[in-house]
Amino acid sequence: MSRIACATIIVSLLWAAVAAADEVPATGERERIVVVLSGGGARGAAHVGVLRLLDELCVPVDAVVGTSMGAVVGGLYAAGLEPDALEAVIRGIDWNDAFVDNPRRSQLTYRRKRDDDGFLVPFEVGVRDGSLRLPAGLVQAQKLALYLRENAIAVSTVDDFDDLPTPYRAVAADLYTGETVVMGTGDVVTAMQASMSAPGVFAPIERESRLLVDGGLAMNLPVEAARETFGKTRIIAVDVGFPLLPPEQLGSAVSIADQALSILITRETQRQREQLDSGDVYIKPELGLLASTAFDRTLEAIEIGYDTAQSQREALQALAASPAVCQARRDTRAARVAGPPKIPEFVRVETDADVSPRVIETRLGTQPGAPLSIEQLRDDLGRIYGLGLFERVGYQWVESDDGAGIVIDAQAKSWGPGYLRFGLGVEEDFEGSGNIVISARYLRTAINRLGAEWRNDATFGTRFAFESEFYQPLDFNLRYFVAPQLTLEQRNIDVFEGDDRIGRYRLSTGELGLFAGREISNWGEVRLGIFRGSVNARVKIGAPTLENIDVDTGGYRASFGFDTLDDTVLPTTGTRFETRLDFERAGLGAARNYEQLIGSWANFNTWGRYTLLLGADFTTTDDADDLVQAFTELGGFLNLSGLDTGAISGPHCFVGRAVLQRRLGESGGGVFDLPWYLGASLEAGNVWPTRDDVSANDLIMNGSIYARLDTLIGPMFLGTGFGENGETTVYLFLGAAITNTLR
C-alpha cells in the first residue's frame, strides 16, 4: 500500500470519527440528571435531606422539577440555596405564623385593632356589585410569599428559569381547564406559590390568563413533565406523597374526602412511576403517617429524607461526578446568583385599590437611595397589609429604564370593598340567666381616595345595640379624621337601695355625635366632639315609687385610647387603656349639667407558660347620682366573679383584678391546634351611690378559677366564682360575649 493510500485511509477514519462524534449528543447533555420532587405539604421537607445526600455524593443536579412543596424546595434550590441553607430556611420559618395572613398587631392602625372587638373570628364575607362573595381561599399566603421572596431575592430579575443557577420547572393545575401547567418563565416566586395553592386553603394564583392551583391535582410526581421538558435524562424521583389512611381513621366526612383525593393522587403518581427507566432512581422517604400539616416536624422529615436516600446510595453513587467536576458545578451555580439587591434607585407603588397610592407610600420606610433592608421592607408591607384593604401585598426587585428598584404591588381584595362579619357569644350561669349574643358588622371601605369608611355594628341578645359611623381621614397619612356617629342601645339596668334590689328598668338611649380626632402612630387615638340624644327608662319590675324616666342628653366628649397588646384573643404582653369624659350641658340640650368619667386599663406580662393580667375598670359622675343612665353594673366573670351578672349597680364604680393564667400541655404545632389554659383571679370592687360614699374599706373581695380553651370561634371559659361571704357562681362563656373580659 502506498503512503498516499495509507494517508487517505487515516484521514477518512479520522473524518468518520469526527462525524460520528458530531452525531452523538454531548455526554453532559445525554446524561443530564433531573431531580423530580413531589408535593406533600410538611412531608416535603424530606426533599432537603435527599438534596443534602446528593450534594455529599457529588451527584450533579442539572435541573429540578417540582410540584407543590416540591416546587418550593426545588425553587429555592434552583435559586442558589445549597442544602445547608435550605435547612436553615426551613428551621427559621415560623410555620404557624407563615400560614396566618394577619400582620403583627403592632403593624395595625388603632382603628384596625378595634375591629376585632366582638368579632374574634377573622373570616369575612365580601359584598361586591350587590352580591355576596367569599375569599378565594382561607389563606391568601401573604406571609409565606414574603418568606419565599426574601430567600429567592438574589434571582428576582431572572425571567427564564433556565437561567437560574439550576434550571427549574414548577408544575401547577389550570383551574379553568384541568390541564397540567409546567412553568418555566416569569417570576419564580409566583410559580412556587401557584404550584402549592391547595384549593380551598390557599387562594389561586392568576398567571398568564390562567387560574392556577396546586399541581398535585394534576401531576404530583412530575416525571412526565421532566421528560418532556429536558429530553433524555437520568431522573432521581423523590415521592413524599400522601399515604392512604387505615380503616380506623376513616370515621369522618373530612377523612373520607381526604382519602378519596389521596386515591386519585396515588393513581396518577403510580402512572408517573411507570415512566421511570432502569437507570433512574426512585426514593420514597419513610414518613409513615406524618401529616401534611405537621410543620412542627419538618426537621424530623429532613432527617428521614436523608436516611431513606442512603438506602439508594449505590445507585446514586453511579451518577456521581468527580470531586473536581462537583466543585466546578458549585462554582458555576454560585456565579449565576446575582446576589441580593443593594440600593434601590426607586420605590414605586402599583395598586388597583380605590385609595390613592399616597396612602400606601406614607407607610413606607424603604426609600430610594438608601441600602435595602429586608427587615424594613417586611415591616412596610405588614403595615400596608394591615390597612385591611388588600388581598396581597408583595414586591419585586426590577430593572428598567429608570434603573433598578423596588416595585410594591398591592392587590385590592377581590371580594370587597364591602365586608360582613359575624360574632357569636354564649353566656350561661346555670341558674336560668343564660344569654346568647349575636353580633354583625357591615364595613364599607375605600369610599374615596383618602380611604373613608362606613361602619355599622349591631348586637342582639339581652342587650341590643346599633352603632353607625362614617370615618373620613383628612390626610394621606390617615392621622386626622372626622367621624359623625349614630348610636342606639337598649339594656336592662337594676336599681338598688342599699344591698336590696328594688327594681329593674329597660333603658333605651339614642345619640348623634360629631367627632374629630387624631391617630397617634399605631398605638393610640384621641377624639373630641359634641353629642345630642335622649334617654328613656321604663320600669319593668319594681317598687311603686319607681317612675318612668324621659330625659334629653347633650354635651361635649373627649376620649383617648391606647393599645399595645400583641394579640386580641390571647394577649401575652402589652397594655390597653381607654377613657372617656362626658360634659353634659344644658346649653346643648341636656336635662342638667353633669360630668362622667369612664376608664378601663389592662396590662399583660408573660413568663414562660404563665401570663399575668393586672387590670381595672372605673366610672364616676358628678352631680348625677340619681340618673339611672349614668349607672354602671358589676357582677359576673372577672367583674366580682362571686356575684351574679349585674348584681349591683351605681353611678360610682370600681373593680380591680389580678389574673394568673398558665398554658397547659405542649402545642402540636398544627394549623388547627386548640390551646388550653388554667387560670385564677383575685378581684376587688364595689359601687357607691354618691361620691362621698366611695371608700376602699367597702371593697368587696371576690375570686375565680377557670379553664380556657381557644376554639375556632373564640375563647371558651368554664369557671366558678366565689365571694367573701360564701357566694358561689358557675360560668360558661363562648366567643364574643366575653371579648372585653380579659383586656
Side-chain angles (χ1 to χ4, degrees):
M1 185 178 297
S2 66
R3 292 182 178 180
I4 294 176
C6 288
T8 301
I9 293 171
I10 291 172
V11 170
S12 299
L13 291 172
L14 289 172
W15 181 258
V18 171
D22 289 340
E23 293 173 0
V24 177
T27 300
E29 183 178 339
R30 184 177 64 247
E31 297 295 323
R32 178 179 291 179
I33 297 172
V34 178
V35 173
V36 174
L37 305 178
S38 82
R43 299 165 63 89
H47 295 316
V48 178
V50 176
L51 290 171
R52 187 208 301 167
L53 183 63
L54 297 182
D55 185 68
E56 291 177 3
L57 297 178
C58 286
V59 176
V61 178
D62 297 291
V64 59
V65 181
T67 294
S68 197
M69 190 64 174
V72 172
V73 173
L76 294 176
Y77 177 82
L81 273 67
E82 300 298 339
D84 288 346
L86 273 173
E87 183 171 341
V89 170
I90 298 289
R91 187 186 299 271
I93 291 178
D94 182 348
W95 290 100
N96 285 334
D97 182 66
F99 293 119
V100 177
D101 290 325
N102 296 335
R104 298 191 311 274
R105 201 163 183 271
S106 61
Q107 296 173 320
L108 301 180
T109 64
Y110 183 79
R111 182 169 179 82
R112 290 286 80 87
K113 291 177 180 179
R114 294 178 60 203
D115 280 349
D116 287 332
D117 290 352
F119 300 90
L120 302 184
V121 180
F123 186 77
E124 60 189 15
V125 178
V127 182
R128 188 179 183 91
D129 300 327
S131 62
L132 300 180
R133 300 193 179 187
L134 295 175
L138 294 175
V139 180
Q140 307 305 313
Q142 168 70 18
K143 291 183 181 178
L144 183 60
L146 293 182
Y147 279 122
L148 298 178
R149 181 73 62 190
E150 291 169 13
N151 287 284
I153 195 168
V155 295
S156 55
T157 59
V158 175
D159 184 69
D160 188 336
F161 295 175
D162 285 338
D163 295 333
L164 292 169
T166 296
Y168 168 68
R169 296 294 186 272
V171 177
D174 189 331
L175 195 58
Y176 295 138
T177 66
E179 296 175 344
T180 301
V181 179
V182 181
M183 295 169 284
T185 59
D187 176 49
V188 67
V189 172
T190 302
M192 287 188 270
Q193 212 175 338
S195 183
M196 65 165 297
S197 294
V201 179
F202 297 109
I205 300 295
E206 189 171 352
R207 187 177 186 269
E208 298 178 354
S209 301
R210 293 178 179 268
L211 196 63
L212 302 181
V213 295
D214 197 307
L217 298 179
M219 194 181 294
N220 199 50
L221 185 67
V223 174
E224 186 176 343
R227 293 273 194 227
E228 292 178 352
T229 303
F230 296 107
K232 186 175 178 61
T233 62
R234 295 288 183 97
I235 288 179
I236 300 172
V238 188
D239 180 10
V240 298
F242 311 98
L244 297 179
L245 298 175
E248 60 270 17
Q249 296 189 20
L250 296 175
S252 68
V254 173
S255 63
I256 292 172
D258 185 63
Q259 184 86 330
L261 180 60
S262 295
I263 289 172
L264 296 176
I265 293 175
T266 300
R267 287 180 177 176
E268 172 59 22
T269 298
Q270 181 59 38
R271 190 180 74 83
Q272 295 297 315
R273 285 188 61 183
E274 292 170 355
Q275 300 187 44
L276 295 173
D277 297 332
S278 59
D280 300 327
V281 181
Y282 175 77
I283 301 172
K284 187 171 181 59
E286 298 172 356
L287 297 164
L289 293 178
L290 190 147
S292 61
T293 58
F295 285 94
D296 61 313
R297 299 176 63 185
T298 51
L299 298 182
E300 177 186 346
I302 291 173
E303 295 307 315
I304 292 174
Y306 180 86
D307 293 339
T308 305
Q310 290 278 12
S311 65
Q312 298 283 349
R313 188 180 185 93
E314 184 177 345
L316 293 174
Q317 283 181 324
L319 302 176
S322 67
V325 172
C326 186
Q327 186 58 49
R329 293 185 63 82
R330 289 173 181 156
D331 294 341
T332 300
R333 267 174 55 86
R336 300 179 75 175
V337 177
K342 301 298 183 183
I343 299 177
E345 298 175 69
F346 61 86
V347 180
R348 187 168 67 243
V349 172
E350 297 179 355
T351 182
D352 59 351
D354 292 330
V355 297
S356 170
R358 291 183 61 186
V359 172
I360 301 171
E361 292 167 356
T362 59
R363 280 159 167 73
L364 292 175
T366 302
Q367 297 295 323
L372 180 64
S373 167
I374 296 299
E375 291 76 16
Q376 176 66 63
L377 187 56
R378 186 191 305 129
D379 189 63
D380 293 344
L381 300 185
R383 282 184 281 112
I384 295 169
Y385 193 79
L387 292 171
L389 303 174
F390 305 109
E391 187 169 338
R392 294 188 181 94
V393 181
Y395 71 94
Q396 279 189 274
W397 179 268
V398 301
E399 296 177 354
S400 65
D401 295 340
D402 299 328
I406 296 289
V407 174
I408 293 173
D409 180 26
Q411 302 175 31
K413 290 181 178 178
S414 57
W415 60 96
Y419 307 98
L420 290 170
R421 291 183 67 177
F422 301 94
L424 174 66
V426 178
E427 302 181 8
E428 178 60 58
D429 63 4
F430 303 98
E431 293 186 1
S433 301
N435 182 30
I436 297 178
V437 178
I438 299 174
S439 306
R441 167 178 292 161
Y442 172 71
L443 177 65
R444 174 63 164 88
T445 65
I447 295 175
N448 53 40
R449 300 288 282 173
L450 282 172
E453 299 179 350
W454 182 33
R455 181 167 62 193
N456 299 272
D457 289 345
T459 301
F460 306 91
T462 304
R463 172 181 175 268
F464 165 78
F466 175 77
E467 181 179 301
S468 182
E469 178 185 80
F470 188 87
Y471 182 87
Q472 177 61 66
L474 301 178
D475 63 327
F476 292 112
N477 282 317
L478 309 184
R479 292 171 298 185
Y480 298 95
F481 62 88
V482 294
Q485 190 178 90
L486 167 68
T487 303
L488 303 173
E489 184 183 26
Q490 286 187 337
R491 62 187 175 95
N492 296 328
I493 186 79
D494 290 329
V495 181
F496 293 82
E497 190 173 275
D499 295 331
D500 299 323
R501 192 193 315 261
I502 61 172
R504 172 174 292 176
Y505 282 101
R506 184 64 174 177
L507 190 68
S508 301
T509 62
E511 182 181 285
L512 284 172
L514 177 62
F515 304 96
R518 187 187 193 280
E519 285 213 346
I520 307 171
S521 187
N522 283 350
W523 53 261
E525 177 193 273
V526 60
R527 291 191 179 205
L528 299 171
I530 58 174
F531 63 93
R532 179 75 186 271
S534 64
V535 176
N536 306 108
R538 297 290 178 262
V539 179
K540 292 188 65 178
I541 56 174
T545 55
L546 294 180
E547 299 181 353
N548 293 332
I549 301 172
D550 295 285
V551 296
D552 293 327
T553 62
Y556 306 101
R557 178 172 296 157
S559 64
F560 172 71
F562 174 96
D563 189 340
T564 62
L565 300 182
D566 62 335
D567 189 73
T568 299
V569 178
L570 187 64
T572 60
T573 187
T575 299
R576 177 164 172 163
F577 175 73
E578 294 177 319
T579 188
R580 191 185 82 192
L581 179 60
D582 285 353
F583 297 88
E584 295 265 359
R585 291 294 180 266
L588 292 175
R592 60 176 162 175
N593 295 342
Y594 77 92
E595 294 80 41
Q596 184 177 52
L597 177 65
I598 301 172
S600 178
W601 167 76
N603 176 261
F604 291 82
N605 285 281
T606 297
W607 301 269
R609 294 175 176 265
Y610 293 91
T611 297
L612 175 65
L613 159 67
L614 298 177
D617 301 322
F618 62 88
T619 302
T620 187
T621 61
D622 281 337
D623 302 319
D625 295 339
D626 60 335
L627 294 183
V628 68
Q629 67 264 31
F631 284 16
T632 299
E633 296 178 319
L634 282 185
F637 186 52
L638 300 189
N639 286 294
L640 299 184
S641 299
L643 305 181
D644 294 334
T645 301
I648 55 177
S649 64
H652 305 276
C653 161
F654 172 84
V655 60
R657 63 184 68 87
V659 185
L660 184 64
Q661 184 170 267
R662 187 182 193 275
R663 175 172 57 87
L664 297 177
E666 297 293 339
S667 173
V671 176
F672 300 107
D673 281 353
L674 302 178
W676 64 291
Y677 309 83
L678 285 181
S681 70
L682 182 63
E683 307 143 38
N686 207 344
V687 298
W688 297 271
T690 68
R691 176 74 60 82
D692 293 337
D693 293 321
V694 176
S695 172
N697 295 327
D698 295 334
L699 291 176
I700 301 171
M701 306 300 294
N702 275 207
S704 73
I705 55 174
Y706 65 87
R708 168 175 177 159
L709 176 68
D710 284 346
T711 74
L712 298 179
I713 61 172
M716 180 174 69
F717 292 79
L718 177 63
T720 181
F722 45 89
E724 62 182 15
N725 297 319
E727 307 97 332
T728 59
T729 55
V730 180
Y731 300 101
L732 174 66
F733 294 96
L734 174 63
I738 46 82
T739 55
N740 294 319
T741 304
L742 291 180
R743 291 200 295 246

